[in-house]
Amino acid sequence: MKDEPGALRDEDAFDTAAVHEWLSSRADGLTGPPAVRQYPGGASNLTYLLSYPDRELILRRPPKGHKAASAHDMRREYTVQDKLKPVYPYVPTVLALCTDHDVLGSDFYVMDRIDGIILRGDLPEGLTLSPHEASSLAYRTFDRLIELHEVDPDAAGLSDLGKGAGYVARQVRGWSDRYRKARTPDAPDGETVMRWLDANQPDDVRTCVIHNDFRFDNVVLDRDETGELNVVGVLDWEMATLGDPLMDLAGCMAYWIQADDDDVAQLSRRQPSHLPGMPKRGELVAYYCDRMGLSAENWVFYEVFGWFRLQVIMQQIYYRYHSGQTHNEAFAGFPRFVAYLDERCRKAIT
């Protein structure tokens, strides 16, 4: 039932002894070097489990190959979690940041492992959820997103994390630029959708700390004293910033594949949001907006942006595969989903 790492991919291996030597001077009681395994995925930053006799730690590092200039910033990811932890307890405890490339070849950081359950495409063996349990879990999980959006950036020492007003405009412009740079010959040009987003963007509704990648496979669950599953950790803070909370919700909803979505959407599902009892996207949007005191009047814009943003993310990953910067065969089929998301966006705006 736990999220288990697998074998270390050859292309993602590193000098374990060098990492241990560096880490052991910053954390007490480490007898090593550790056993190293790698978590599945690796589409963005790479995540490893460092197993010591009495302690398990997590190492995060960037992937090899081309990456956007603002992406994979280990110093930023480390700092966000370090400052957020006192006011948002679901953040992992970070231990040490390394900026000496002689150790591993890039910046990286190490944090404590949060033990628990991570939900991916389907429920892990042995875990069942009744419709009531599934519904309750979904809403409790989104309560954690709401709590994050209620954090005072100044109190957390994160007032300089973002660039201020104009977040929606920067995101539309930035993701459009990323898509154009990552296009491959087999990708749709996306211009119709990008023009529509540019012409229909609303003003920011407010500015708050946003996660930018909040979904079930980025949260850790554990049972409380009543037996209910609850969020005990929120992972993957690499895209956290100060921004518009509805844009963060839009990113969440792009991954929320519900039971009545079509077959192509089901193939891309990364979380068990299709289970009986799981709320539909519209229900979650209404719940969130009611709790946050926000209007869902312009939700079509946010929905299309969320799908387009996911399209760009998948195209960027496929670009690395297409250009030989990674050989992970899991990325070979991404063009199908890029085209599907482009079509979904175009249907929504007509």
Side-chain angles (χ1 to χ4, degrees):
M1 290 174 57
K2 299 181 187 298
D3 184 57
E4 292 295 339
L8 189 64
R9 290 195 294 267
D10 289 343
E11 66 184 69
D12 298 329
F14 57 85
D15 187 340
T16 304
V19 168
H20 169 70
E21 181 180 358
W22 173 85
L23 182 59
S24 60
S25 66
R26 291 159 177 83
D28 295 332
L30 299 180
T31 302
V36 179
R37 288 181 289 166
Q38 186 173 6
Y39 281 89
S44 188
N45 287 334
L46 306 179
T47 306
Y48 306 84
L49 175 65
L50 309 182
S51 295
Y52 286 93
D54 301 314
R55 192 173 188 182
E56 290 187 324
L57 304 175
I58 298 294
L59 184 149
R60 293 267 290 170
R61 62 170 291 192
K64 298 177 182 177
H66 173 76
K67 44 190 175 289
S70 61
H72 315 292
D73 186 337
M74 295 291 97
R75 184 190 297 272
R76 187 176 188 275
E77 187 174 330
Y78 175 91
T79 301
V80 167
Q81 293 174 93
D82 188 44
K83 291 187 175 182
L84 199 53
K85 178 69 174 180
V87 294
Y88 189 72
Y90 308 101
V91 173
T93 299
V94 292
L95 300 177
L97 169 72
C98 181
T99 57
D100 180 357
H101 290 197
D102 289 339
V103 177
L104 190 145
S106 66
D107 289 356
F108 69 93
Y109 72 90
V110 177
M111 61 185 178
D112 280 332
R113 183 192 190 192
I114 300 177
D115 198 16
I117 302 166
I118 296 180
L119 301 183
R120 300 198 183 274
D122 296 297
L123 294 180
E125 185 177 353
L127 176 63
T128 60
L129 292 174
S130 69
H132 173 73
E133 289 171 330
S135 176
S136 296
L137 175 60
Y139 286 114
R140 284 199 304 274
T141 300
F142 274 79
D143 284 341
R144 304 293 84 80
L145 179 66
I146 292 166
E147 288 175 23
L148 174 65
H149 290 171
E150 292 175 337
V151 165
D152 181 346
D154 293 332
L158 293 171
S159 57
D160 60 349
L161 184 61
K163 297 180 179 179
Y167 180 82
V168 173
R170 288 193 299 274
Q171 292 300 294
V172 170
R173 182 172 61 251
W175 286 102
S176 297
D177 289 345
R178 293 182 194 106
Y179 186 72
R180 292 182 179 111
K181 290 176 181 177
R183 276 191 62 207
T184 48
D186 50 355
D189 68 18
E191 293 298 332
T192 298
V193 175
M194 289 187 281
R195 284 194 298 270
W196 185 90
L197 288 170
D198 184 59
N200 290 276
Q201 56 186 284
D203 293 332
D204 300 355
V205 297
R206 72 180 60 159
T207 299
C208 63
V209 179
I210 61 175
H211 182 276
N212 255 331
D213 203 16
F214 191 91
R215 56 181 193 260
F216 271 133
D217 62 346
N218 277 338
V219 301
V220 185
L221 307 173
D222 202 3
R223 294 195 183 278
D224 61 19
E225 61 278 1
T226 70
E228 285 192 321
L229 284 175
N230 281 294
V231 175
V232 295
V234 178
L235 309 177
D236 289 359
W237 292 88
E238 63 189 277
M239 294 191 287
T241 190
L242 298 185
D244 188 310
L246 287 180
M247 296 288 271
D248 204 8
L249 183 65
C252 297
M253 292 296 94
Y255 288 99
W256 194 267
I257 307 302
Q258 55 197 43
D260 59 355
D261 281 329
D262 60 38
D263 291 343
V264 178
Q266 298 298 335
L267 288 172
S268 69
R269 183 173 50 78
R270 299 182 58 177
Q271 54 188 354
S273 49
H274 66 307
L275 294 176
M278 283 286 180
K280 294 188 175 182
R281 287 184 292 273
E283 293 171 321
L284 283 170
V285 170
Y287 176 79
Y288 173 91
C289 288
D290 181 65
R291 286 283 312 276
M292 289 288 291
L294 297 172
S295 171
E297 180 181 4
N298 290 325
W299 183 249
V300 172
F301 168 84
Y302 298 103
E303 184 171 54
V304 171
F305 173 79
W307 287 336
F308 173 69
R309 175 178 174 269
L310 179 55
Q311 174 184 338
V312 180
I313 291 170
M314 298 188 79
Q315 181 60 33
Q316 287 180 308
I317 294 167
Y318 178 70
Y319 178 89
R320 291 180 52 230
Y321 175 83
H322 181 268
S323 59
Q325 296 168 10
T326 179
H327 303 288
N328 189 342
E329 290 298 324
F331 306 148
F334 276 26
R336 177 184 185 185
F337 299 107
V338 169
Y340 169 79
L341 288 165
D342 179 72
E343 180 182 6
R344 198 168 187 177
C345 289
R346 287 188 287 107
K347 284 182 178 178
I349 65 179
T350 56

